[in-house]
Short mmCIF file of all heavy atoms in Angstrom, two decimals:
data_model
loop_
_atom_site.label_atom_id
_atom_site.label_comp_id
_atom_site.label_asym_id
_atom_site.label_seq_id
_atom_site.Cartn_x
_atom_site.Cartn_y
_atom_site.Cartn_z
N TRP A 5 82.76 89.07 72.67
CA TRP A 5 82.81 88.74 74.15
C TRP A 5 81.54 88.82 74.76
O TRP A 5 81.12 89.78 75.24
CB TRP A 5 83.84 89.61 74.76
CG TRP A 5 84.27 89.27 76.16
CD1 TRP A 5 83.79 88.20 76.95
CD2 TRP A 5 85.09 89.88 76.96
NE1 TRP A 5 84.28 88.22 78.14
CE2 TRP A 5 85.10 89.30 78.26
CE3 TRP A 5 85.97 91.04 76.85
CZ2 TRP A 5 85.99 89.73 79.35
CZ3 TRP A 5 86.76 91.50 77.93
CH2 TRP A 5 86.74 90.87 79.12
N PRO A 6 80.65 87.79 74.79
CA PRO A 6 79.35 87.88 75.34
C PRO A 6 79.27 88.23 76.71
O PRO A 6 78.33 88.77 77.22
CB PRO A 6 78.75 86.51 75.10
CG PRO A 6 79.47 86.01 73.88
CD PRO A 6 80.91 86.45 73.97
N GLY A 7 80.38 87.85 77.45
CA GLY A 7 80.32 88.20 78.97
C GLY A 7 81.05 89.37 79.30
O GLY A 7 81.44 89.50 80.50
N PHE A 8 81.28 90.31 78.38
CA PHE A 8 82.00 91.48 78.64
C PHE A 8 81.42 92.38 79.79
O PHE A 8 82.22 92.99 80.50
CB PHE A 8 82.05 92.43 77.37
CG PHE A 8 82.64 93.80 77.57
CD1 PHE A 8 83.98 93.96 77.78
CD2 PHE A 8 81.84 94.94 77.64
CE1 PHE A 8 84.58 95.19 78.00
CE2 PHE A 8 82.48 96.16 77.82
CZ PHE A 8 83.71 96.28 78.01
N ALA A 9 80.20 92.26 80.12
CA ALA A 9 79.55 93.13 81.13
C ALA A 9 80.08 92.85 82.51
O ALA A 9 80.21 93.69 83.32
CB ALA A 9 78.08 92.88 81.12
N HIS A 10 80.53 91.48 82.71
CA HIS A 10 81.03 91.19 83.87
C HIS A 10 82.24 91.87 84.37
O HIS A 10 82.60 92.14 85.48
CB HIS A 10 81.42 89.61 84.02
CG HIS A 10 80.13 88.75 84.17
ND1 HIS A 10 79.52 88.48 85.22
CD2 HIS A 10 79.34 88.17 83.17
CE1 HIS A 10 78.47 87.79 85.14
NE2 HIS A 10 78.28 87.53 83.84
N THR A 11 83.07 92.25 83.33
CA THR A 11 84.32 92.95 83.65
C THR A 11 84.14 94.40 84.21
O THR A 11 85.02 94.97 84.89
CB THR A 11 85.38 92.93 82.45
OG1 THR A 11 86.63 93.24 82.92
CG2 THR A 11 84.91 94.03 81.44
N LEU A 12 82.93 95.00 84.03
CA LEU A 12 82.57 96.24 84.35
C LEU A 12 82.10 96.25 85.84
O LEU A 12 81.67 97.33 86.42
CB LEU A 12 81.65 96.89 83.53
CG LEU A 12 82.15 97.08 82.08
CD1 LEU A 12 81.10 97.90 81.22
CD2 LEU A 12 83.48 97.91 81.97
N THR A 13 81.97 95.04 86.57
CA THR A 13 81.58 94.95 87.86
C THR A 13 82.68 95.02 88.78
O THR A 13 82.63 95.15 90.10
CB THR A 13 80.86 93.61 88.20
OG1 THR A 13 81.64 92.52 88.04
CG2 THR A 13 79.72 93.45 87.18
N SER A 14 83.99 94.85 88.43
CA SER A 14 85.20 94.79 89.11
C SER A 14 86.31 95.86 88.65
O SER A 14 85.82 96.95 88.65
CB SER A 14 85.75 93.34 89.12
OG SER A 14 86.07 92.99 87.84
N GLY A 15 87.37 95.41 88.67
CA GLY A 15 88.42 96.41 88.50
C GLY A 15 88.34 97.49 87.42
O GLY A 15 88.49 98.60 87.63
N ALA A 16 88.05 96.95 86.17
CA ALA A 16 87.99 97.96 85.18
C ALA A 16 86.60 98.86 85.34
O ALA A 16 86.58 99.91 84.73
CB ALA A 16 87.87 97.27 83.77
N GLY A 17 85.68 98.33 85.97
CA GLY A 17 84.47 99.06 86.22
C GLY A 17 84.45 99.99 87.45
O GLY A 17 83.55 100.78 87.77
N MET A 18 85.65 99.96 88.18
CA MET A 18 85.88 100.97 89.26
C MET A 18 86.62 102.14 88.72
O MET A 18 87.84 102.14 88.47
CB MET A 18 86.72 100.18 90.40
CG MET A 18 85.97 99.04 91.05
SD MET A 18 87.01 98.17 92.32
CE MET A 18 85.72 96.98 92.97
N ILE A 19 85.92 103.26 88.67
CA ILE A 19 86.42 104.37 87.92
C ILE A 19 87.22 105.27 89.01
O ILE A 19 86.52 105.73 90.00
CB ILE A 19 85.37 105.06 87.25
CG1 ILE A 19 84.67 104.15 86.25
CG2 ILE A 19 85.92 106.22 86.41
CD1 ILE A 19 85.48 103.31 85.32
N VAL A 20 88.46 105.65 88.71
CA VAL A 20 89.14 106.57 89.60
C VAL A 20 89.13 107.93 88.94
O VAL A 20 89.04 108.06 87.63
CB VAL A 20 90.65 106.16 89.74
CG1 VAL A 20 90.76 104.78 90.31
CG2 VAL A 20 91.38 106.19 88.42
N ALA A 21 89.09 108.97 89.72
CA ALA A 21 89.05 110.34 89.33
C ALA A 21 90.24 110.70 88.63
O ALA A 21 91.35 110.25 88.93
CB ALA A 21 88.65 111.32 90.49
N PRO A 22 90.11 111.71 87.58
CA PRO A 22 91.37 112.24 86.93
C PRO A 22 92.48 112.66 87.87
O PRO A 22 93.65 112.55 87.59
CB PRO A 22 90.83 113.41 86.09
CG PRO A 22 89.44 113.01 85.94
CD PRO A 22 88.92 112.31 87.07
N ALA A 23 91.96 113.16 89.04
CA ALA A 23 92.96 113.71 89.99
C ALA A 23 93.69 112.70 90.83
O ALA A 23 94.56 113.02 91.59
CB ALA A 23 92.24 114.72 90.91
N ALA A 24 93.31 111.41 90.67
CA ALA A 24 93.84 110.41 91.53
C ALA A 24 95.39 110.14 91.19
O ALA A 24 96.10 109.74 92.14
CB ALA A 24 93.12 109.06 91.22
N GLY A 25 95.81 110.51 90.01
CA GLY A 25 97.21 110.34 89.70
C GLY A 25 97.59 108.98 89.13
O GLY A 25 96.72 108.10 88.83
N THR A 26 98.80 108.93 88.74
CA THR A 26 99.39 107.71 88.25
C THR A 26 99.47 106.59 89.26
O THR A 26 99.61 106.88 90.43
CB THR A 26 100.76 107.90 87.48
OG1 THR A 26 101.63 108.42 88.49
CG2 THR A 26 100.49 109.10 86.33
N PRO A 27 99.49 105.27 88.75
CA PRO A 27 99.83 104.18 89.83
C PRO A 27 101.08 104.43 90.44
O PRO A 27 102.14 104.77 89.79
CB PRO A 27 99.80 103.01 88.81
CG PRO A 27 98.90 103.42 87.65
CD PRO A 27 99.18 104.82 87.38
N GLY A 28 101.20 104.01 91.63
CA GLY A 28 102.36 104.03 92.34
C GLY A 28 102.24 105.00 93.63
O GLY A 28 101.29 105.22 94.17
N ASP A 29 103.44 105.59 94.04
CA ASP A 29 103.44 106.37 95.18
C ASP A 29 102.71 107.58 95.10
O ASP A 29 102.18 108.19 96.19
CB ASP A 29 104.96 106.69 95.58
CG ASP A 29 105.82 105.40 95.90
OD1 ASP A 29 105.20 104.42 96.22
OD2 ASP A 29 107.13 105.68 95.69
N GLY A 30 102.37 108.10 94.00
CA GLY A 30 101.66 109.33 93.93
C GLY A 30 100.17 109.18 93.69
O GLY A 30 99.47 110.14 93.62
N PHE A 31 99.71 107.96 93.88
CA PHE A 31 98.26 107.72 93.76
C PHE A 31 97.43 108.10 95.07
O PHE A 31 97.90 107.84 96.17
CB PHE A 31 98.06 106.23 93.48
CG PHE A 31 96.63 105.82 93.37
CD1 PHE A 31 95.82 106.19 92.27
CD2 PHE A 31 96.07 105.13 94.49
CE1 PHE A 31 94.48 105.82 92.24
CE2 PHE A 31 94.65 104.69 94.35
CZ PHE A 31 93.86 105.05 93.32
N THR A 32 96.27 108.69 94.67
CA THR A 32 95.31 109.07 95.81
C THR A 32 94.06 108.47 95.45
O THR A 32 93.46 108.65 94.31
CB THR A 32 95.16 110.68 95.95
OG1 THR A 32 96.44 111.31 96.04
CG2 THR A 32 94.19 110.93 96.96
N PRO A 33 93.37 107.63 96.33
CA PRO A 33 92.21 106.93 96.01
C PRO A 33 91.01 107.90 96.01
O PRO A 33 90.38 108.12 97.08
CB PRO A 33 92.03 105.98 97.23
CG PRO A 33 92.88 106.48 98.21
CD PRO A 33 94.00 107.35 97.63
N ILE A 34 90.62 108.40 94.79
CA ILE A 34 89.48 109.29 94.65
C ILE A 34 88.47 108.64 93.78
O ILE A 34 88.82 108.31 92.63
CB ILE A 34 89.96 110.72 94.06
CG1 ILE A 34 91.10 111.34 94.88
CG2 ILE A 34 88.63 111.57 93.95
CD1 ILE A 34 91.57 112.52 94.23
N GLY A 35 87.28 108.37 94.38
CA GLY A 35 86.31 107.50 93.61
C GLY A 35 84.99 108.11 93.73
O GLY A 35 84.78 109.07 94.31
N ALA A 36 83.96 107.38 93.19
CA ALA A 36 82.51 107.89 93.10
C ALA A 36 81.59 107.06 94.02
O ALA A 36 80.46 107.04 93.90
CB ALA A 36 82.06 107.97 91.76
N GLY A 37 82.29 106.26 94.94
CA GLY A 37 81.48 105.31 95.80
C GLY A 37 80.85 106.00 96.94
O GLY A 37 81.06 107.27 97.12
N PRO A 38 80.27 105.20 97.85
CA PRO A 38 79.58 105.80 99.00
C PRO A 38 80.42 106.31 100.05
O PRO A 38 79.94 107.06 100.96
CB PRO A 38 78.65 104.64 99.40
CG PRO A 38 79.39 103.46 98.95
CD PRO A 38 79.91 103.77 97.69
N PHE A 39 81.71 105.94 100.07
CA PHE A 39 82.61 106.32 101.22
C PHE A 39 83.90 106.85 100.58
O PHE A 39 84.20 106.62 99.44
CB PHE A 39 82.96 105.17 102.07
CG PHE A 39 81.72 104.65 102.84
CD1 PHE A 39 80.91 103.61 102.23
CD2 PHE A 39 81.32 105.06 104.10
CE1 PHE A 39 79.78 103.15 102.93
CE2 PHE A 39 80.22 104.61 104.71
CZ PHE A 39 79.50 103.63 104.10
N THR A 40 84.66 107.60 101.42
CA THR A 40 86.02 108.03 100.96
C THR A 40 87.00 107.61 102.05
O THR A 40 86.59 107.40 103.27
CB THR A 40 85.93 109.56 100.78
OG1 THR A 40 87.20 110.03 100.23
CG2 THR A 40 85.63 110.40 102.09
N LEU A 41 88.27 107.52 101.62
CA LEU A 41 89.27 107.18 102.52
C LEU A 41 89.59 108.29 103.56
O LEU A 41 89.94 109.31 103.09
CB LEU A 41 90.48 106.66 101.89
CG LEU A 41 91.71 106.33 102.73
CD1 LEU A 41 91.49 105.10 103.50
CD2 LEU A 41 92.96 106.10 101.83
N GLN A 42 89.43 107.92 104.88
CA GLN A 42 89.82 108.98 105.82
C GLN A 42 91.26 108.74 106.33
O GLN A 42 92.09 109.71 106.44
CB GLN A 42 88.87 108.97 107.00
CG GLN A 42 89.29 109.85 108.19
CD GLN A 42 88.33 109.83 109.44
OE1 GLN A 42 87.17 109.28 109.20
NE2 GLN A 42 88.83 109.96 110.53
N GLU A 43 91.54 107.51 106.64
CA GLU A 43 92.93 107.16 107.15
C GLU A 43 93.32 105.69 106.93
O GLU A 43 92.25 104.91 106.93
CB GLU A 43 93.01 107.63 108.57
CG GLU A 43 92.14 106.84 109.63
CD GLU A 43 92.32 107.40 110.92
OE1 GLU A 43 93.20 108.17 111.22
OE2 GLU A 43 91.76 106.80 111.88
N TRP A 44 94.51 105.44 106.76
CA TRP A 44 94.86 103.98 106.71
C TRP A 44 96.19 103.80 107.48
O TRP A 44 97.25 104.31 107.06
CB TRP A 44 95.10 103.63 105.20
CG TRP A 44 95.52 102.28 104.82
CD1 TRP A 44 95.64 101.26 105.66
CD2 TRP A 44 95.84 101.70 103.57
NE1 TRP A 44 95.97 100.01 105.13
CE2 TRP A 44 96.20 100.38 103.84
CE3 TRP A 44 95.91 102.35 102.38
CZ2 TRP A 44 96.52 99.53 102.71
CZ3 TRP A 44 96.27 101.57 101.22
CH2 TRP A 44 96.53 100.10 101.46
N HIS A 45 96.02 103.14 108.57
CA HIS A 45 97.26 102.73 109.35
C HIS A 45 97.68 101.41 108.90
O HIS A 45 97.04 100.34 109.39
CB HIS A 45 97.01 102.74 110.84
CG HIS A 45 96.48 104.09 111.32
ND1 HIS A 45 97.42 105.16 111.45
CD2 HIS A 45 95.32 104.58 111.75
CE1 HIS A 45 96.76 106.17 111.88
NE2 HIS A 45 95.54 105.91 112.11
N GLN A 46 98.58 101.32 107.96
CA GLN A 46 98.97 99.96 107.41
C GLN A 46 99.38 99.03 108.41
O GLN A 46 100.08 99.25 109.32
CB GLN A 46 99.93 100.31 106.38
CG GLN A 46 99.54 101.01 105.13
CD GLN A 46 100.26 100.97 103.91
OE1 GLN A 46 101.45 100.52 103.97
NE2 GLN A 46 99.84 101.57 102.74
N GLY A 47 98.93 97.83 108.26
CA GLY A 47 99.15 96.69 109.21
C GLY A 47 98.24 96.68 110.38
O GLY A 47 98.18 95.75 111.19
N ASP A 48 97.28 97.56 110.40
CA ASP A 48 96.24 97.64 111.49
C ASP A 48 94.93 97.90 110.94
O ASP A 48 93.98 96.93 111.11
CB ASP A 48 96.73 98.79 112.36
CG ASP A 48 95.77 98.94 113.54
OD1 ASP A 48 95.12 98.01 113.92
OD2 ASP A 48 95.73 100.05 114.22
N ALA A 49 94.55 99.03 110.50
CA ALA A 49 93.16 99.33 110.13
C ALA A 49 93.15 100.46 109.13
O ALA A 49 93.97 101.27 108.93
CB ALA A 49 92.41 99.65 111.38
#
């Protein structure tokens, strides 16, 4: 797969912390990016 590097720029390359939990209702978005989630009012902001 000569183009494998591209897949590490998106979903598979976005690494979630071990404490983030399993996919679904118990998931917490914990990452290593420049920002962290403060609040999410769904349908608004």
Side-chain angles (χ1 to χ4, degrees):
W5 188 0
F8 173 71
H10 286 274
T11 199
L12 300 184
T13 66
S14 56
M18 295 178 175
I19 306 304
V20 303
T26 58
D29 293 339
F31 174 73
T32 302
I34 304 173
F39 297 89
T40 187
L41 177 65
Q42 176 182 334
E43 59 183 2
W44 183 3
H45 300 291
Q46 294 192 352
D48 180 23

